[in-house]
Amino acid sequence: MKYYHSNVTRLVGDIDNIIKQIMPHTAKYVVKHYIEEGRKNDKLYGGIAISERVKFTELNEF
C-alpha cells in the first residue's frame, strides 16, 4: 500500500516504512499510533506528549 506525503511531495512507500520518515517528534507518535491501533477501529483517542513519547487514551465520553 502506498501513501502520498504532501509536505515532501513524494511517495513514502509501504505503510510499515512511514514511521521511519523524518517528521516532528509528536507527529511520529501520532502516525505510529494510527498505524498500530487507530486504523483498525472507529474509536477516538486523545494524546499528550510526555518525556520522550506521546501517551494516548481512548475517549469514551466524547
Side-chain angles (χ1 to χ4, degrees):
M1 185 180 302
K2 300 281 186 183
Y3 286 82
Y4 182 74
H5 190 285
S6 60
N7 291 338
V8 185
T9 63
R10 63 184 173 91
L11 289 174
V12 294
D14 294 327
I15 197 166
D16 297 330
N17 293 322
I18 291 175
I19 59 172
K20 295 178 183 174
Q21 301 298 314
I22 296 172
M23 62 181 81
H25 172 75
T26 53
K28 185 173 197 154
Y29 285 97
V30 170
V31 170
K32 184 175 188 281
H33 182 266
Y34 172 75
I35 291 170
E36 294 175 353
E37 190 73 27
R39 69 186 174 102
K40 299 174 186 172
N41 60 58
D42 61 354
K43 298 175 184 176
L44 182 62
Y45 295 91
I48 187 164
I50 54 173
S51 301
E52 296 295 320
R53 61 188 180 100
V54 176
K55 181 174 173 73
F56 291 94
T57 187
E58 183 181 336
L59 301 176
N60 294 316
E61 301 293 327
F62 194 82

Coordinates of all heavy atoms in Angstrom, one line a residue:
M1 N 0.8 -1.2 0.0 CA 0.0 0.0 0.0 C 0.9 1.2 0.0 O 1.8 1.3 0.8 CB -0.9 0.0 1.3 CG -1.9 1.1 1.3 SD -2.9 1.0 2.8 CE -3.7 -0.5 2.7
K2 N 0.6 2.2 -0.9 CA 1.4 3.4 -1.0 C 0.7 4.6 -0.4 O -0.5 4.7 -0.5 CB 1.8 3.7 -2.4 CG 2.6 2.6 -3.1 CD 4.0 2.7 -2.8 CE 4.8 1.7 -3.6 NZ 6.2 1.6 -3.2
Y3 N 1.4 5.5 0.2 CA 0.8 6.7 0.7 C 1.6 7.9 0.2 O 2.8 7.9 -0.1 CB 0.9 6.7 2.3 CG -0.1 5.8 2.9 CD1 0.2 4.4 3.0 CD2 -1.3 6.3 3.3 CE1 -0.7 3.6 3.5 CE2 -2.3 5.4 3.8 CZ -1.9 4.1 4.0 OH -2.9 3.2 4.5
Y4 N 0.9 9.0 0.0 CA 1.5 10.3 -0.5 C 1.7 11.3 0.6 O 0.7 11.5 1.4 CB 0.6 10.9 -1.6 CG 1.1 12.1 -2.2 CD1 2.2 12.0 -3.1 CD2 0.6 13.3 -1.9 CE1 2.7 13.1 -3.7 CE2 1.2 14.5 -2.5 CZ 2.2 14.4 -3.4 OH 2.7 15.5 -4.0
H5 N 2.8 11.8 0.8 CA 3.2 12.7 1.9 C 3.3 14.1 1.2 O 4.3 14.4 0.6 CB 4.5 12.3 2.5 CG 4.8 13.1 3.7 ND1 5.2 14.4 3.7 CD2 4.7 12.7 5.0 CE1 5.4 14.8 4.9 NE2 5.2 13.8 5.8
S6 N 2.2 14.9 1.3 CA 2.2 16.2 0.6 C 3.3 17.2 1.0 O 3.7 18.0 0.2 CB 0.8 16.8 0.8 OG 0.6 17.1 2.1
N7 N 3.8 17.1 2.2 CA 4.8 18.0 2.7 C 6.1 17.8 1.9 O 6.9 18.7 1.8 CB 5.0 18.0 4.2 CG 3.9 18.5 4.9 OD1 3.1 19.3 4.4 ND2 3.7 18.1 6.2
V8 N 6.4 16.6 1.5 CA 7.6 16.2 0.9 C 7.4 16.1 -0.6 O 8.4 16.0 -1.4 CB 8.3 15.0 1.5 CG1 9.6 14.7 1.0 CG2 8.3 15.1 3.0
T9 N 6.2 16.0 -1.0 CA 5.8 15.8 -2.4 C 6.5 14.6 -3.0 O 7.1 14.7 -4.1 CB 5.9 17.0 -3.3 OG1 7.3 17.4 -3.3 CG2 5.1 18.2 -2.7
R10 N 6.4 13.5 -2.4 CA 6.9 12.2 -2.9 C 6.2 11.0 -2.3 O 5.6 11.2 -1.2 CB 8.4 12.1 -2.7 CG 8.9 12.0 -1.3 CD 10.4 12.0 -1.2 NE 10.8 12.1 0.2 CZ 11.0 11.1 1.0 NH1 10.9 9.9 0.6 NH2 11.4 11.3 2.2
L11 N 6.4 9.9 -2.9 CA 5.8 8.7 -2.3 C 6.7 8.2 -1.1 O 7.9 8.2 -1.3 CB 5.7 7.5 -3.3 CG 4.6 7.7 -4.4 CD1 4.7 6.6 -5.4 CD2 3.3 7.7 -3.7
V12 N 6.1 7.9 0.0 CA 6.9 7.5 1.1 C 7.1 6.0 1.3 O 7.8 5.5 2.1 CB 6.4 8.1 2.5 CG1 6.6 9.6 2.4 CG2 5.0 7.7 2.7
G13 N 6.3 5.2 0.5 CA 6.5 3.8 0.5 C 5.4 3.0 1.3 O 4.4 3.5 1.5
D14 N 5.8 1.8 1.6 CA 4.9 0.9 2.4 C 4.5 1.5 3.7 O 5.3 2.3 4.3 CB 5.5 -0.4 2.6 CG 5.7 -1.2 1.3 OD1 4.9 -1.0 0.4 OD2 6.7 -2.0 1.2
I15 N 3.3 1.1 4.2 CA 2.8 1.7 5.5 C 3.8 1.4 6.6 O 4.0 2.2 7.5 CB 1.4 1.1 5.8 CG1 0.7 1.9 6.8 CG2 1.5 -0.4 6.1 CD1 -0.7 1.6 7.0
D16 N 4.5 0.3 6.6 CA 5.5 -0.1 7.6 C 6.7 0.9 7.6 O 7.4 1.0 8.6 CB 6.0 -1.5 7.4 CG 4.9 -2.5 7.6 OD1 3.9 -2.3 8.3 OD2 4.9 -3.6 6.9
N17 N 7.0 1.5 6.5 CA 8.1 2.4 6.4 C 7.8 3.9 6.7 O 8.7 4.7 6.8 CB 8.8 2.3 5.1 CG 9.4 0.9 4.9 OD1 10.0 0.3 5.8 ND2 9.3 0.4 3.7
I18 N 6.5 4.2 6.9 CA 6.1 5.6 7.0 C 6.8 6.2 8.3 O 7.3 7.3 8.3 CB 4.6 5.7 7.1 CG1 4.1 5.5 5.7 CG2 4.2 7.1 7.5 CD1 2.6 5.5 5.6
I19 N 6.7 5.4 9.4 CA 7.3 6.0 10.7 C 8.8 6.1 10.7 O 9.3 6.7 11.6 CB 6.8 5.2 11.9 CG1 7.2 3.7 11.8 CG2 5.3 5.3 12.1 CD1 7.0 2.9 13.1
K20 N 9.4 5.6 9.6 CA 10.9 5.8 9.5 C 11.2 7.1 8.8 O 12.4 7.5 8.8 CB 11.5 4.6 8.7 CG 11.4 3.3 9.4 CD 11.9 2.2 8.6 CE 11.7 0.8 9.3 NZ 12.1 -0.3 8.4
Q21 N 10.2 7.8 8.3 CA 10.4 9.1 7.7 C 10.8 10.2 8.7 O 10.4 10.1 9.9 CB 9.2 9.5 6.9 CG 8.8 8.5 5.8 CD 9.8 8.4 4.8 OE1 10.4 9.3 4.3 NE2 10.1 7.1 4.4
I22 N 11.5 11.2 8.3 CA 11.8 12.3 9.2 C 10.6 13.1 9.3 O 9.9 13.6 8.4 CB 12.9 13.2 8.6 CG1 14.2 12.3 8.5 CG2 13.2 14.4 9.4 CD1 15.3 13.0 7.8
M23 N 10.2 13.4 10.6 CA 9.0 14.2 10.9 C 9.1 14.7 12.3 O 9.9 14.2 13.1 CB 7.7 13.4 10.7 CG 7.6 12.1 11.6 SD 6.0 11.2 11.3 CE 6.5 10.2 9.9
P24 N 8.3 15.7 12.7 CA 8.4 16.2 14.1 C 8.1 15.1 15.1 O 7.4 14.1 14.8 CB 7.2 17.2 14.1 CG 7.1 17.6 12.7 CD 7.3 16.4 11.9
H25 N 8.7 15.2 16.3 CA 8.6 14.2 17.3 C 7.2 13.7 17.6 O 6.9 12.5 17.5 CB 9.2 14.8 18.6 CG 9.0 14.0 19.8 ND1 9.7 12.8 20.1 CD2 8.1 14.1 20.9 CE1 9.3 12.3 21.2 NE2 8.4 13.1 21.7
T26 N 6.2 14.6 17.8 CA 4.8 14.2 18.2 C 4.2 13.6 16.9 O 3.4 12.7 17.1 CB 4.0 15.4 18.7 OG1 4.1 16.5 17.8 CG2 4.5 15.8 20.1
A27 N 4.4 14.1 15.8 CA 3.8 13.5 14.6 C 4.2 12.1 14.4 O 3.3 11.3 14.0 CB 4.2 14.3 13.3
K28 N 5.4 11.7 14.7 CA 5.8 10.4 14.5 C 5.0 9.4 15.4 O 4.6 8.4 15.0 CB 7.3 10.3 14.9 CG 7.9 8.9 14.7 CD 9.4 8.9 14.9 CE 10.0 7.7 14.2 NZ 11.4 7.9 13.8
Y29 N 4.8 9.8 16.7 CA 4.0 9.0 17.6 C 2.5 8.9 17.2 O 1.9 7.9 17.3 CB 4.1 9.5 19.0 CG 5.5 9.1 19.6 CD1 6.5 10.0 19.6 CD2 5.7 7.8 20.1 CE1 7.8 9.7 20.0 CE2 6.9 7.5 20.5 CZ 8.0 8.4 20.5 OH 9.2 8.0 21.0
V30 N 2.0 10.0 16.6 CA 0.6 10.0 16.2 C 0.4 9.1 15.0 O -0.5 8.2 14.9 CB 0.1 11.4 15.8 CG1 -1.2 11.4 15.0 CG2 0.0 12.3 17.0
V31 N 1.3 9.1 14.0 CA 1.3 8.2 12.9 C 1.5 6.8 13.3 O 0.8 5.9 12.9 CB 2.4 8.6 11.8 CG1 2.5 7.6 10.7 CG2 2.0 10.0 11.2
K32 N 2.4 6.5 14.2 CA 2.7 5.2 14.7 C 1.4 4.6 15.4 O 1.1 3.5 15.2 CB 3.9 5.2 15.7 CG 4.3 3.8 16.2 CD 5.6 4.0 17.0 CE 6.1 2.7 17.4 NZ 5.5 2.0 18.5
H33 N 0.8 5.5 16.2 CA -0.4 5.0 16.9 C -1.5 4.7 16.0 O -2.2 3.7 16.1 CB -0.9 6.1 17.9 CG -2.1 5.7 18.7 ND1 -3.4 6.0 18.3 CD2 -2.2 4.9 19.8 CE1 -4.2 5.5 19.2 NE2 -3.5 4.8 20.1
Y34 N -1.7 5.6 14.9 CA -2.7 5.3 13.9 C -2.5 4.0 13.2 O -3.4 3.2 13.0 CB -2.8 6.5 12.9 CG -3.7 6.1 11.8 CD1 -5.1 6.2 12.0 CD2 -3.2 5.7 10.5 CE1 -5.9 5.8 10.9 CE2 -4.0 5.4 9.5 CZ -5.4 5.5 9.7 OH -6.2 5.1 8.7
I35 N -1.2 3.8 12.8 CA -0.9 2.5 12.0 C -1.1 1.3 12.9 O -1.7 0.3 12.4 CB 0.6 2.6 11.5 CG1 0.7 3.6 10.4 CG2 1.0 1.2 11.0 CD1 2.1 3.9 10.1
E36 N -0.7 1.4 14.2 CA -0.8 0.2 15.0 C -2.2 0.0 15.6 O -2.6 -1.1 15.9 CB 0.2 0.3 16.2 CG 1.6 0.2 15.7 CD 2.7 0.5 16.8 OE1 2.3 0.8 17.9 OE2 3.9 0.3 16.5
E37 N -3.0 1.1 15.8 CA -4.2 0.9 16.6 C -5.4 1.6 15.9 O -6.4 1.0 15.7 CB -4.0 1.5 18.0 CG -5.1 1.3 18.9 CD -5.2 -0.2 19.4 OE1 -4.1 -0.8 19.5 OE2 -6.3 -0.6 19.8
G38 N -5.2 2.9 15.6 CA -6.4 3.7 15.2 C -7.0 3.3 13.9 O -8.2 3.4 13.7
R39 N -6.3 2.8 12.9 CA -6.9 2.4 11.6 C -7.7 1.2 11.7 O -8.4 0.8 10.8 CB -5.8 2.3 10.6 CG -4.9 1.1 10.8 CD -3.7 1.2 9.7 NE -2.8 0.1 10.0 CZ -2.7 -1.0 9.3 NH1 -3.5 -1.2 8.3 NH2 -1.8 -1.9 9.6
K40 N -7.6 0.5 12.8 CA -8.3 -0.8 13.0 C -9.6 -0.7 13.7 O -10.3 -1.6 13.8 CB -7.4 -1.8 13.8 CG -6.1 -2.1 13.1 CD -5.2 -2.9 14.0 CE -3.8 -3.0 13.4 NZ -2.9 -3.7 14.4
N41 N -10.0 0.6 14.1 CA -11.3 0.8 14.8 C -11.8 2.2 14.5 O -11.1 2.9 13.8 CB -11.1 0.5 16.3 CG -10.1 1.4 16.9 OD1 -10.3 2.6 16.9 ND2 -9.1 0.8 17.5
D42 N -12.9 2.5 15.1 CA -13.5 3.8 14.9 C -13.6 4.6 16.2 O -14.4 5.5 16.4 CB -14.9 3.7 14.3 CG -15.9 2.9 15.1 OD1 -15.5 2.4 16.2 OD2 -17.1 2.9 14.8
K43 N -12.6 4.3 17.1 CA -12.6 5.0 18.4 C -11.9 6.3 18.2 O -11.1 6.6 17.3 CB -11.8 4.1 19.4 CG -12.5 2.8 19.6 CD -11.6 1.9 20.5 CE -12.3 0.6 20.7 NZ -11.5 -0.4 21.5
L44 N -12.1 7.2 19.2 CA -11.5 8.5 19.2 C -10.5 8.5 20.4 O -10.7 8.0 21.5 CB -12.5 9.6 19.5 CG -12.0 11.0 19.5 CD1 -11.4 11.4 18.2 CD2 -13.2 12.0 19.9
Y45 N -9.3 8.9 20.0 CA -8.2 8.9 21.0 C -7.7 10.4 21.3 O -7.7 11.2 20.4 CB -7.0 8.1 20.5 CG -7.3 6.6 20.3 CD1 -7.7 6.1 19.1 CD2 -7.1 5.8 21.4 CE1 -8.0 4.8 19.0 CE2 -7.3 4.4 21.3 CZ -7.8 3.9 20.1 OH -8.1 2.6 19.9
G46 N -7.2 10.6 22.5 CA -6.5 11.8 22.8 C -5.1 11.5 23.2 O -4.8 10.4 23.7
G47 N -4.2 12.4 22.8 CA -2.8 12.1 23.1 C -2.1 13.3 23.7 O -2.5 14.5 23.4
I48 N -1.2 13.1 24.6 CA -0.4 14.1 25.2 C 1.1 13.7 25.2 O 1.4 12.6 25.5 CB -0.9 14.4 26.7 CG1 -0.2 15.6 27.3 CG2 -0.7 13.2 27.6 CD1 -0.8 16.2 28.5
A49 N 1.9 14.7 24.8 CA 3.3 14.5 24.8 C 3.9 14.5 26.2 O 3.7 15.5 26.9 CB 4.0 15.5 23.9
I50 N 4.6 13.4 26.5 CA 5.3 13.3 27.8 C 6.7 12.8 27.6 O 6.8 11.8 26.9 CB 4.5 12.5 28.9 CG1 4.2 11.1 28.3 CG2 3.2 13.1 29.3 CD1 3.6 10.1 29.3
S51 N 7.6 13.4 28.2 CA 9.0 13.0 28.0 C 9.4 12.7 26.6 O 9.3 13.5 25.8 CB 9.3 11.8 29.0 OG 9.1 12.1 30.3
E52 N 9.7 11.4 26.3 CA 10.2 11.0 25.0 C 9.1 10.3 24.2 O 9.5 9.5 23.3 CB 11.4 10.1 25.2 CG 12.6 10.8 25.8 CD 13.1 11.9 24.9 OE1 13.2 11.8 23.7 OE2 13.5 13.0 25.4
R53 N 7.9 10.5 24.5 CA 6.8 9.8 23.8 C 5.5 10.5 23.9 O 5.4 11.6 24.5 CB 6.6 8.3 24.3 CG 6.2 8.3 25.8 CD 6.2 6.8 26.3 NE 5.8 6.8 27.7 CZ 4.6 6.5 28.1 NH1 3.7 6.1 27.3 NH2 4.3 6.5 29.4
V54 N 4.5 10.0 23.3 CA 3.1 10.5 23.4 C 2.2 9.4 24.0 O 2.2 8.3 23.6 CB 2.6 11.0 22.0 CG1 1.1 11.4 22.2 CG2 3.4 12.0 21.4
K55 N 1.5 9.8 25.1 CA 0.6 8.8 25.7 C -0.8 9.0 25.2 O -1.3 10.1 25.2 CB 0.6 9.1 27.2 CG -0.3 8.1 28.0 CD -0.1 8.3 29.5 CE -1.1 7.4 30.2 NZ -0.8 6.0 30.3
F56 N -1.4 8.0 24.7 CA -2.7 8.0 24.1 C -3.7 7.3 25.0 O -3.4 6.4 25.7 CB -2.8 7.3 22.7 CG -2.0 8.0 21.7 CD1 -0.7 7.7 21.4 CD2 -2.6 9.1 20.9 CE1 0.0 8.4 20.5 CE2 -1.9 9.7 20.0 CZ -0.6 9.4 19.7
T57 N -5.0 7.9 25.0 CA -6.0 7.2 25.8 C -7.3 7.3 24.9 O -7.5 8.3 24.2 CB -6.2 7.9 27.2 OG1 -7.2 7.2 27.9 CG2 -6.7 9.3 27.0
E58 N -8.1 6.3 25.0 CA -9.4 6.3 24.3 C -10.4 7.2 25.0 O -10.5 7.3 26.2 CB -9.9 4.8 24.4 CG -11.2 4.7 23.6 CD -11.8 3.3 23.6 OE1 -11.0 2.3 23.9 OE2 -13.0 3.1 23.5
L59 N -11.0 8.0 24.2 CA -12.0 9.0 24.7 C -13.4 8.4 24.6 O -14.0 8.4 23.6 CB -11.9 10.3 24.0 CG -10.6 11.0 24.0 CD1 -10.6 12.2 23.1 CD2 -10.2 11.4 25.4
N60 N -13.9 7.9 25.8 CA -15.2 7.2 25.8 C -16.4 8.1 25.9 O -17.4 7.8 25.4 CB -15.3 6.2 27.0 CG -14.3 5.1 26.8 OD1 -14.1 4.5 25.8 ND2 -13.6 4.8 27.9
E61 N -16.2 9.2 26.5 CA -17.3 10.2 26.8 C -17.3 11.4 25.9 O -17.6 12.5 26.4 CB -17.3 10.6 28.3 CG -17.4 9.4 29.3 CD -18.8 8.7 29.2 OE1 -19.8 9.5 28.9 OE2 -18.8 7.5 29.4
F62 N -16.8 11.3 24.7 CA -16.7 12.5 23.9 C -17.9 12.5 22.9 O -18.3 11.7 22.3 CB -15.4 12.4 23.1 CG -15.0 13.7 22.4 CD1 -14.4 14.7 23.1 CD2 -15.4 13.9 21.1 CE1 -14.1 15.9 22.5 CE2 -15.0 15.1 20.5 CZ -14.4 16.1 21.2

